[in-house]
Amino acid sequence: MTNPLVRFAAGALAIGAAVGATLWILLGVFGMGSCQTRACDPATQRIQLALIKKGYWIGYPGADGTFSEATVTALNAFQDNSALSVQPRCDKQCRTALTGSLWTSVGDLLDATE
């Protein structure tokens, strides 16, 4: 029979590890929360979150708002799978396919001037 104190300590460690892992996943991998760094772009973060919702891996640390190589790879895979032109940017057609509707952003204004 195991000492009750050992069982209690093991249970407390397991709960702590589970809470820590859950917070790491929510805050790190899935990028919950707002942009935390100067390099963060809210429009890029929205694209990253939409890619994650569609099941694409955008790399660590998740939706951080930086247009990393992993984000471009995920975006290109999404565009290819959605029969869109594969390019290292997300135009109106791409954003509509990602989100189901257009969102207003600086990107929309830039696309309107092209």
Side-chain angles (χ1 to χ4, degrees):
M1 187 160 183
T2 310
N3 183 340
L5 186 57
V6 171
R7 286 189 305 178
F8 174 77
L13 286 173
I15 290 171
V19 169
T22 302
L23 289 174
W24 176 78
I25 290 169
L26 290 177
L27 299 175
V29 175
F30 293 120
M32 299 294 184
S34 61
C35 291
Q36 301 295 322
T37 65
R38 284 184 166 179
C40 180
D41 175 37
T44 300
Q45 191 175 40
R46 285 195 300 266
I47 291 168
Q48 290 172 324
L49 289 170
L51 286 167
I52 290 169
K53 283 184 180 180
K54 296 276 187 184
Y56 293 90
W57 173 249
I58 61 164
Y60 178 81
D64 62 354
T66 59
F67 213 73
S68 65
E69 186 176 326
T71 299
V72 172
T73 301
L75 180 63
N76 289 346
F78 169 76
Q79 290 168 333
D80 188 44
N81 293 338
S82 300
L84 299 169
S85 61
V86 176
Q87 55 189 346
R89 62 186 291 252
C90 192
D91 57 13
K92 273 188 183 182
Q93 188 177 18
C94 177
R95 287 193 302 271
T96 301
L98 260 177
T99 64
S101 64
L102 293 175
W103 64 72
T104 303
S105 71
V106 174
D108 288 337
L109 298 174
L110 292 174
D111 286 342
T113 62
E114 292 177 355

